[in-house]
């Protein structure tokens, strides 16, 4: 099917695609058009990676936008269209993917289609998006928009769910499932497009969405999958390729060297962060020999950028690997690290990345050869190593080969024995991915979604609530009669006990009814969210997190300490606790008894092994946050707690969000500790002691600059407005920086022309604590989490 044959697109769209070199649609794209994607029909597209899923989405969204525009632009121009007509929403699972898709779709602005992206601030309705034609957002953000009543959602004419197989994920899947169901209820004529490269039961998803199904294994370039054993690669089509392993060389090193010889790059998937870092160090010895002088210069510059992101050992190790053409990638890296690595790999400056499986579900990182080295990982519930799911391995394999970059793609598993080789062919190479199953009927998932459904008015009775839940994938798939109803009743009881919902209108229970559920069904009782329940839903926190925070604040007799508050939020389901390593139960047990008076709420008995261990794990997490707020050095924190810079940043971001929620909850219940919560939040946000809070309120002043200014006797913005400029310059070590800080502090004449540094009384650029060598941390050292100026 030729692009020129397509109708129903905005003026200029066809010409845009032709200018991009797209003349003919791929077979799956043509099948989507024939199935009615451009006429508003629902569609599930189950097609391989790189086979044109995004183009299917683009054509559907653009045609939906054009269908919704009943009148020409008022001025007859070719500029941005008014958004009173069609509007499309593209839902992604990750923030990084949102940025990637926005960059792709922004090209459509050339023919008048506007694009916006929204991923954070769960309390906002993002009204500015009402003027956009295409909105890119995470499923959590869309869920929050529904909860908070964003009016523009009712204008949607098309929604695209990318990576729809993630409905199977027990953590994030229920949010996607409920959000799609709510959008369909808001807009009965809404077109739904669901995309996935790996899904075993696509027909079930299509049945749920009343959608046509395009299930096609066509790829634009050949993908060969197989197993490496001994000195040869054996492929699914029966062919072989000699890849000898010499001496003590590892299989993955031989495979990387082999593909490098013909100019290809590699992705090596391993089971853990430690393995990813170790593999990258070893593989850098392979890639180093293949670098040109120009590539070495580019990689040296990239390594310096990486070092500037964070002054941690992880950052230095990554930069050292990058200088030799290799890198590692895992969730412990800072987001800036990951972005730099991904961009350099796409540009083929980096030759190999060793990664944990999280990269397979992330942004577009194509490689000619994908090596799945570790196909088992530790499963605590099984008490040992277990094989990875087929779907997850197929996601990794799908990263092999990209049109225009590679003549073919290869995905390879590694076998240590002949038996392993046969097992890997049966288990992964020739196997279909597992079926996707809804995870909605679990109490943790339903808690938040039942409250949100009631609070947002989607259901006002138990019957209405159950009727709504019948529109979910779970109801389509369920063969367990009564399970969803039973779990829903348990959740309603929990929400009522914690004053999040109330049952109104029933008065005294009439004779003949044995439960509130029966009375609801008879139409005698409405469900309504309380004021507290509305607040919890708006804040986008798990009701169990809110209950823990509320009970903790209500138990406080004295002003809570920072540690008490940090440990409190670390006990909630919304914070991923640090786990206790061997021997740490005794260490943190000692901290608990030493600082017992600071903790909020009743602690479990030490004889309740599992509960007490969870309490101590929350204490460890709270201590990490306290160390950060006490201005401890980032590298020492990451080393002390066994985390990466990305983990630290994630914990700080989550703590800031939960403490913001705690402040709102404290205000809602009339707690006298609102100010204490606010100060604890500000301290963890900026990573500073209380004495620096005024200084870090100045834009461009982070924890290091604030400490340097404070050491020079400059403690407030007012001090900076009146200070000797030479003292400011001596503290900040740079005229441009000093001018910017003075301007942001409100100084009328911030110019540093002809100013020379002059030490002020009490000048001290040392933070609370020094670096690992005992030297003071100066303002000119590498940036850290609290110093993004």
């Amino acid at each position: 099917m030729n692009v020129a044959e397509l109708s129903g697109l905005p003026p200029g769209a066809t010409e845009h695609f032709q200018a991009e070199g797209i003349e003919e649609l791929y077979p799956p794209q043509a099948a989507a058009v024939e199935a009615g994607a451009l006429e508003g029909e629902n569609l599930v597209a189950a097609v391989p990676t790189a086979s044109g899923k995004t183009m299917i989405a683009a054509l559907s969204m653009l045609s939906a936008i054009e269908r919704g525009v009943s009148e020409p632009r008022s001025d007859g121009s070719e500029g941005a269209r008014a958004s009173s007509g069609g509007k499309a929403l593209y839902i992604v699972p990750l923030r990084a993917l949102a940025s990637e898709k926005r960059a792709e779709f922004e090209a459509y602005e050339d023919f008048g289609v506007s694009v916006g992206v929204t991923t954070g601030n769960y309390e906002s309705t993002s009204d500015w998006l009402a003027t956009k034609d295409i909105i890119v957002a995470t499923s959590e953000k869309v869920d929050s928009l529904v909860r908070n009543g964003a009016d523009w959602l009712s204008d949607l004419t098309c929604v695209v769910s990318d990576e729809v197989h993630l409905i199977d994920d027990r953590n994030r899947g229920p949010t996607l499932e409920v959000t799609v169901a709510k959008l369909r209820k808001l807009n009965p004529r809404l077109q739904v497009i669901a995309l996935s490269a790996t899904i075993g039961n696509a027909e079930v998803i299509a049945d749920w969405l009343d959608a046509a199904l395009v299930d096609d294994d066509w790829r634009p370039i050949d993908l060969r999958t197989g197993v490496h054993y001994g000195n040869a690669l054996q492929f699914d089509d029966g062919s072989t390729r000699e890849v000898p392993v010499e001496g003590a060389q590892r299989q993955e090193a031989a495979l990387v060297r082999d593909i490098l010889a013909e100019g290809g790059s590699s992705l090596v998937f391993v089971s853990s962060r430690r393995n990813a870092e170790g593999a990258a160090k070893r593989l850098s010895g392979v890639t180093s020999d293949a670098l040109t002088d120009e590539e070495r210069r580019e990689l040296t510059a990239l390594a310096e950028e990486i070092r500037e992101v964070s002054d941690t050992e992880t950052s230095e190790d990554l930069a050292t690997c990058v200088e030799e053409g290799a890198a590692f990638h895992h969730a412990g890296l800072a987001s800036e690290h990951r972005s730099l690595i991904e961009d350099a790999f796409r540009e083929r400056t980096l030759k190999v990345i060793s990664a944990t499986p999280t990269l397979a579900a992330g942004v577009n990182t194509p490689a000619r050869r994908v090596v799945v080295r570790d196909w088992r990982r530790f499963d605590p519930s099984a008490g040992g190593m277990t094989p990875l799911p087929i779907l997850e391995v197929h996601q990794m394999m799908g990263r092999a080969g990209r049109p225009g970059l590679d003549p073919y793609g290869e995905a390879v598993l590694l076998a240590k024995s002949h038996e392993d080789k046969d097992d890997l062919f049966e288990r992964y190479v020739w196997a279909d991915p597992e079926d996707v199953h809804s995870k909605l009927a679990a109490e943790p998932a339903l808690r938040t979604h039942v409250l949100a459904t009631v609070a947002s008015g989607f259901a006002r009775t138990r019957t209405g609530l159950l009727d709504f839940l019948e529109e979910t994938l779970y109801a389509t798939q369920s063969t367990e009669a009564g399970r969803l109803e039973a779990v829903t009743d348990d959740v309603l009881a929990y929400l009522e006990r914690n004053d999040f919902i109330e049952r109104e209108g029933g008065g005294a229970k009439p004779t003949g009814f044995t439960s509130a559920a029966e009375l609801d069904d008879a139409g005698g009782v409405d469900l309504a969210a309380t004021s507290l329940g509305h607040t919890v839903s708006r804040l986008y926190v798990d009701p169990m997190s809110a209950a823990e925070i509320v009970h903790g604040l209500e138990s406080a007799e004295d002003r809570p300490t920072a540690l008490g508050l940090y440990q409190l939020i670390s006990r909630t389901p919304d914070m991923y606790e640090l786990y206790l390593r061997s021997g740490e139960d005794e260490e943190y047990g000692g901290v608990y008894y030493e600082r017992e008076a600071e903790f909020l709420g009743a602690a479990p008995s030490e004889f309740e092994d599992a509960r007490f261990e969870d309490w101590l794990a929350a204490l460890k997490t709270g201590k990490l946050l306290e160390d950060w707020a006490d201005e401890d050095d980032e590298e020492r924190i990451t080393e002390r707690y066994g985390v990466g810079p990305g983990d630290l940043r994630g914990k700080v971001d989550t703590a800031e969000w939960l403490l913001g929620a705690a402040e709102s909850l404290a205000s809602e219940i009339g707690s006298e500790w609102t100010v204490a919560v606010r100060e604890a939040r500000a301290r963890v946000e900026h990573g500073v002691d209380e004495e620096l809070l005024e200084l870090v309120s100045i834009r461009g002043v982070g924890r290091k600059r604030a400490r340097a200014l404070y050491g020079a006797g400059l403690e407030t913005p007012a001090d900076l407005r009146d200070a000797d400029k030479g003292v400011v310059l001596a503290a900040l070590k740079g005229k441009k920086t000093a001018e910017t800080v003075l301007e942001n502090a409100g100084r009328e004449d911030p110019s540093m022309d002809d100013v020379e540094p002059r030490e002020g009384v009490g000048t001290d650029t040392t933070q609370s604590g020094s670096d690992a060598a005992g030297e003071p941390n100066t303002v000119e050292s590498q940036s850290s989490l609290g110093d993004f100026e």
Side-chain angles (χ1 to χ4, degrees), residues 165-185:
H165 60 270
L166 291 177
I167 278 182
D168 193 70
D169 183 281
R170 65 180 60 257
N171 294 315
R172 308 186 73 182
T175 296
L176 175 59
E177 180 179 349
V178 169
T179 298
V180 170
K182 286 181 177 178
L183 290 174
R184 296 183 74 197
K185 185 169 183 179

Side-chain angles (χ1 to χ4, degrees), residues 115-168:
V115 178
V117 63
T118 180
T119 58
N121 190 2
Y122 294 143
E123 296 179 55
S124 166
T125 56
S126 299
D127 290 338
W128 64 276
L129 292 171
T131 64
K132 302 299 181 181
D133 296 311
I134 295 176
I135 296 102
V136 184
T138 59
S139 54
E140 288 80 8
K141 178 60 181 179
V142 180
D143 183 26
S144 74
L145 290 168
V146 175
R147 295 183 190 208
N148 290 300
D151 292 335
W152 57 266
L153 289 175
S154 60
D155 296 330
L156 290 175
T157 51
C158 177
V159 60
V160 177
S161 176
D162 199 357
E163 309 289 355
V164 72
H165 60 270
L166 291 177
I167 278 182
D168 193 70

Side-chain angles (χ1 to χ4, degrees), residues 517-539:
E518 289 186 20
L519 185 57
D520 283 353
D521 288 343
V525 176
D526 287 342
L527 294 176
T530 62
S531 177
L532 178 59
H534 276 289
T535 298
V536 172
S537 181
R538 174 178 57 81
L539 292 171

Side-chain angles (χ1 to χ4, degrees), residues 413-433:
L413 294 122
L414 304 187
K416 300 297 184 184
S417 67
H418 186 77
E419 291 75 15
D420 267 357
K421 184 194 74 172
D422 292 344
D423 181 45
L424 290 173
F425 269 103
E426 293 288 342
R427 184 184 296 275
Y428 296 116
V429 176
W430 293 326
D432 293 325

Side-chain angles (χ1 to χ4, degrees), residues 576-597:
Y576 288 102
E577 300 171 345
L578 297 174
Y579 68 89
L580 295 178
R581 294 176 290 192
S582 177
E584 287 188 339
D585 52 347
E586 185 174 338
E587 176 186 348
Y588 287 98
V591 175
Y592 164 68
Y593 289 115
E594 179 184 341
R595 303 182 65 173
E596 186 174 3

